[in-house]
Amino acid sequence: MQDKNCSAKKEDVKKHAVHDQFNFDWWEEVNDEELLLADSKEFDNQCHIPPISELSTRRGHLWVTDLTRQMWCETKMMYMLAGVKPSEEIEENPVVISGTNIHLTRELQAHDVVEVAVSSREDRWAIKFLNLLITISGFQSGVTMAREVPIFGSLFGHDIFITGIIDEMRYDPELLTVDIYELKTRNKNCLPVGCQKMQHSFQVMLYKRLFDNLVFGKTTADNISKHLHLDLTKSLGDSVTQSLNENNLKVTNLCELLDTLLPRMQCLTFASQLFVEYVDQKNAKTIGIVCVKYDDNWLKKKVDHFMEYWNGHRPATGVEIEEAWKCQCCEFADICDWRKLKSEECIKRNKLSIS
């Protein structure tokens, strides 16, 4: 079955965006008592509530960006998810605005965006699944590039669901290969090094593993329903059903949609190469494209370590002294418990060395 909206021409490719008819605000502020989970002195496995359980009451899963922020600084990520207000009001960063505009421009070069009214959680996810199906069908019918591709699943046997959006995928119909590209904008005309480069490499490796799991058939409808709290037999809304029909999909619920999507995913090959493209924010010109070598063992070690936090097996940790420079641009530096703890440890060590 070929989706009629998929073709190599930009003007014929349509991706769908949700137009919410109810509140999808999963980011609820929490009280100060809930922030005690960040303090190792208060951490107790007997009564501690795993952070993923707290998060499940809001959206039920992690985003890839949660994990990449966790790699940068776990404590900062925890404060952001908890809705903690920074010590000083942070104005909207023009650098972030510029990066968002570059991403949007790239997206609109690849496809049009069609708004679809949604009235339920099932409607919202139906649109995500539809966009992934459009990408697959496009590749199978000659399209060589897709942008803003939804991805989802679990990693390395952990019972935690992760979702994300791949910036760009490129398909070679002759070699039957799929490559993943992540777009990063920079305010300096140079490539990143060290922690930032590692963080970006981690992100595209996550995308590959999630994509490959779908191709391998490891992500099932039952798994999706369980973690996203979806009723797969619930009838979809009229606007969503219309969008599905326009793409030659005669389905009425998520069960039928996934019965089409998941087997089609298994017709593709595993992601071949991973790239990170760096673009200058001032002129939107490419600074360079870095090829990332996939390392499954390294990725598993990182994911296993991060999942220990989400499952409540350890408290959040911040950066070590070698990376304390990150605190200089952190909006939570003045209220950070980890920073205070490390400062106290440093003072104690200095006293001991003097004595």
Side-chain angles (χ1 to χ4, degrees), residues 316-330:
T317 59
V319 299
E320 295 300 330
I321 189 66
E322 295 81 8
E323 297 181 0
W325 53 269
K326 293 179 180 179
C327 302
Q328 297 175 6
C329 57
C330 178

